[in-house]
Amino acid sequence: MTSLPYISDHYAPVAEERTAEDLVVRGTLPPELDGRYLRNGHNPKPGVTPTHWFKGSGMIHGLRLRDGRAQWYRNRWVRTPLFEGTADGDDLTASVAGTHVIEHAGRLLALQEANLPFEIDASPGSSAWLPRAEAHSGSCRPTVTPAASTPALGSNKVPFSAARVT
């Protein structure tokens, strides 16, 4: 392992995707906690040494809580064209999509600065976070407008939903 501080010790990348069900809970979880917790972060693929902390591929970690139980945990890389090695330099989909994850208009989006967000699927039966590979314009740090109480996405590159990755 390299001595770069952003991929060493407790910052070391997770090397594989995992799924675990019916997790053991120490203590108790309030039964009122009902939902998914999703976290996105930069996580370089094995064999890749990024030149900067924020250049590792996006990996989403998810935890499902219901009825005082931890139903599942799983982590998946966001499979953008950059992750798959198919993006070119001028491609707005050439993103690591590793900064944030939000729900917007009934869709889950993985976000990163300067690139298009990617729609992800966190449903229990999906094998990856990106079976619906669709890119949208937006921002990695959306704001919630008080009047609408929903995230406001914006970009100076293209309007929302203008780009699609097939």
Side-chain angles (χ1 to χ4, degrees):
M1 179 60 79
T2 180
S3 64
L4 295 172
Y6 52 90
I7 56 174
S8 301
D9 301 320
H10 61 281
Y11 295 113
V14 177
E16 59 189 34
E17 295 177 334
R18 295 179 182 213
T19 299
E21 296 180 354
D22 297 320
L23 304 168
V24 174
V25 176
R26 295 182 190 148
T28 59
L29 290 171
E32 297 82 12
L33 287 177
D34 184 9
R36 293 177 302 198
Y37 171 73
L38 302 174
R39 182 188 73 78
N40 193 357
H42 299 275
N43 190 80
K45 294 190 297 185
V48 174
T49 302
T51 57
H52 188 275
W53 193 312
F54 301 141
K55 292 203 175 208
S57 296
M59 178 177 271
I60 298 183
H61 299 262
L63 177 66
R64 174 68 167 109
L65 302 177
R66 177 182 278 165
D67 299 325
R69 298 178 351 190
Q71 287 187 318
W72 53 257
Y73 162 84
R74 69 179 168 185
N75 63 322
R76 299 289 185 271
W77 274 286
V78 181
R79 286 170 169 76
T80 66
L82 188 63
F83 177 87
E84 300 290 357
T86 60
D88 66 35
D90 294 329
D91 188 350
L92 288 178
T93 67
S95 172
V96 297
T99 303
H100 198 18
V101 61
I102 64 163
E103 183 174 0
H104 178 69
R107 298 172 169 177
L108 287 172
L109 301 173
L111 310 176
Q112 188 211 345
E113 296 93 342
N115 296 98
L116 300 175
F118 283 81
E119 184 174 357
I120 60 173
D121 184 353
S123 61
S126 69
S127 60
W129 289 119
L130 239 185
R132 293 187 315 243
E134 188 172 341
H136 307 276
S137 76
S139 166
C140 73
R141 292 181 181 85
T143 58
V144 176
T145 61
S149 72
T150 59
L153 293 176
S155 172
N156 60 1
K157 295 185 177 181
V158 291
F160 185 76
S161 296
R164 182 185 281 300
V165 177
T166 57

